[in-house]
Amino acid sequence: MAKIGIFVGTVYGNAQMVAEEAQAVLQDLGNEVTVFDEGTLEEWKAYQQAYVLVVTSTTGQGDLPDSITSLFFDIKEQLGHQPELKYGVIALGDSSYDNFCGAGKQFDALLQEQGANRLADVLLIDATEVPEPEVFAAGWIEHWGSLVK
């Protein structure tokens, strides 16, 4: 059983629904899973030697939602190298915008820069094609969960 923290950035609730689906799927696989709606740096640190799943929508022109912005900058400015962290990213966005899934891509780039280990490719969910992102994400979540040891 692995310890997994799901950190959510949402504006209209779609990322929250995906996070709740992820929690259910990952718990069914026997993991201890906690969802953080407005995660703090201290909460993040508790998972540095465990697993993190970032589920974030994108707002504006590729920007992070307010609910995850401070966490992103705290990680960037205060943590540095995180080689023991294993993570995944589910990015929600709208492909009619130039910076499609920009928030999730920013989070992934930051964690890559800090030496964290991404377990699977970032899942990009396009709001113009996917009416139920939580249903669409279920297969990816199961796959990601199978990589958690």
Side-chain angles (χ1 to χ4, degrees):
M1 175 168 94
K3 179 179 168 185
I4 302 170
I6 301 176
F7 292 83
V8 184
T10 193
V11 178
Y12 299 113
N14 285 336
Q16 184 68 40
M17 289 189 305
V18 173
E20 289 168 3
E21 175 69 15
Q23 181 179 32
V25 169
L26 295 169
Q27 284 175 335
D28 286 348
L29 292 172
N31 300 294
E32 176 189 325
V33 185
T34 305
V35 174
F36 298 95
D37 300 333
E38 293 193 26
T40 66
L41 186 61
E42 289 308 309
E43 290 165 334
W44 180 275
K45 285 180 180 179
Y47 291 87
Q48 280 186 294
Q49 295 181 359
Y51 297 87
V52 164
L53 181 59
V54 175
V55 181
T56 185
S57 59
T58 301
T59 188
Q61 294 300 313
D63 300 321
L64 295 156
D66 289 344
S67 63
I68 203 165
T69 299
S70 61
L71 174 63
F72 176 86
F73 285 105
D74 287 347
I75 291 168
K76 183 175 184 174
E77 295 165 4
Q78 297 180 41
L79 286 188
H81 202 54
Q82 300 187 75
E84 294 181 23
L85 177 69
K86 296 169 199 75
Y87 77 96
V89 175
I90 299 175
L92 291 82
D94 183 326
S95 63
S96 65
Y97 289 88
D98 289 338
N99 296 308
F100 173 57
C101 290
K105 290 176 181 176
Q106 283 183 63
F107 234 108
D108 179 54
L110 172 63
L111 296 176
Q112 286 287 293
E113 182 180 303
Q114 293 183 336
N117 298 295
R118 186 178 61 219
L119 297 181
D121 289 341
V122 175
L123 176 62
L124 305 177
I125 302 177
D126 187 351
T128 65
E129 297 178 6
V130 178
E132 296 178 303
E134 69 282 6
V135 174
F136 180 82
W140 184 95
I141 295 164
E142 283 185 31
H143 171 69
W144 188 83
S146 74
L147 302 173
V148 170
K149 306 285 185 227

